[in-house]
Amino acid sequence: MEARWKGRAARFWARNKRTVLAFVAGGAAAGLLAGLCALAVVEFGLYDIAASQPHNKIVSWALHKTFKRSVKLRAGGEFVPSFTQERVISGFRQYQADCMMCHGGPGVSRADWVKGLEPTPPFLLESGNEWTSSQLDYILEKGIKMSAMPSWGETRSKDQIWNLVAFLKALPGISPSQFAQMQGQYPLDKSPPRQRATPEQIH
């Protein structure tokens, strides 16, 4: 049986040697050409990096797809605390202080200067339905490269991040009138204090 397969393989190679080699050479040449084109784009500054112009559709798709796949691959495995009403309120207060200017809220628009960011930060009204708690925790703690989303894990405690997750999970069920009521009950100047920078962060 083994001898028969070896014989067939030898006959196939004898008949298609030139085709196989041409295919391999063509693939190598195409890869080299693609690499040279990418290098030229970088070296000669051919890609417009101005934030006043959006990414083209291909780049925008690739970045968003990579972001979603990367989060889903790496998030999870951590203990998720219970989301009490106290956590939701603490997360809301922190959201007002740190997030609302970029992401808005129910019945609240984003700050006008956010129009100048590329990509534009999304509204998060449905983020609690679109992402799991572990995925939201990962995004908040690690941040997102090639966007204006910072790594909050550098300046916020794990408990503060979970508070934000608790609020985002509750956000899809909060109406504009309820959000406005919460703003009146928990005004911005009552937001939780920021963590002090460590000596390593200062230096």
Side-chain angles (χ1 to χ4, degrees):
M1 189 72 172
E2 184 177 353
R4 183 189 304 174
W5 281 109
K6 287 183 178 179
R8 288 182 179 179
R11 288 193 295 273
F12 175 85
W13 176 250
R15 290 195 305 267
N16 301 283
K17 180 178 179 179
R18 291 184 178 181
T19 302
V20 173
L21 291 177
F23 180 80
V24 172
L32 178 61
L33 180 60
L36 290 174
C37 289
L39 181 61
V41 169
V42 174
E43 186 65 27
F44 297 107
L46 300 180
Y47 190 79
D48 186 1
I49 54 85
S52 57
Q53 297 295 326
H55 289 299
N56 64 53
K57 291 183 179 180
I58 295 177
V59 173
S60 181
W61 171 85
L63 291 176
H64 189 65
K65 192 74 170 180
T66 300
F67 155 62
K68 293 180 70 173
R69 296 290 188 185
S70 179
V71 171
K72 290 180 179 180
L73 176 65
R74 292 167 174 80
E78 287 192 333
F79 169 76
V80 178
S82 59
F83 295 150
T84 62
Q85 184 67 14
E86 289 75 14
R87 274 197 183 278
V88 173
I89 293 172
S90 295
F92 165 74
R93 293 166 66 186
Q94 191 169 325
Y95 184 89
Q96 280 197 104
D98 296 332
C99 312
M100 194 164 66
M101 65 185 72
C102 284
H103 298 287
V108 179
S109 61
R110 296 171 293 201
D112 191 58
W113 55 263
V114 173
K115 298 175 183 177
L117 296 177
E118 176 57 37
T120 303
F123 285 103
L124 301 179
L125 303 183
E126 292 298 323
S127 60
N129 292 332
E130 295 169 351
W131 299 96
T132 68
S133 298
S134 294
Q135 289 167 351
L136 288 171
D137 168 66
Y138 181 88
I139 294 170
L140 291 169
E141 182 175 357
K142 304 298 184 182
I144 305 169
K145 292 178 180 177
M146 296 175 285
S147 77
M149 178 64 185
S151 167
W152 287 112
E154 295 294 319
T155 56
R156 299 293 182 271
S157 68
K158 191 65 176 179
D159 199 53
Q160 287 176 307
I161 290 174
W162 280 123
N163 290 344
L164 264 176
V165 173
F167 172 71
L168 291 176
K169 293 299 288 185
L171 186 56
I174 298 176
S175 67
S177 60
Q178 290 172 324
F179 192 81
Q181 184 178 359
M182 292 174 72
Q183 286 182 291
Q185 189 172 358
Y186 309 104
L188 186 60
D189 60 355
K190 293 183 180 180
S191 59
R194 298 170 183 263
Q195 282 187 322
R196 294 183 178 181
T198 64
E200 291 78 9
Q201 291 172 331
I202 296 174
H203 300 289

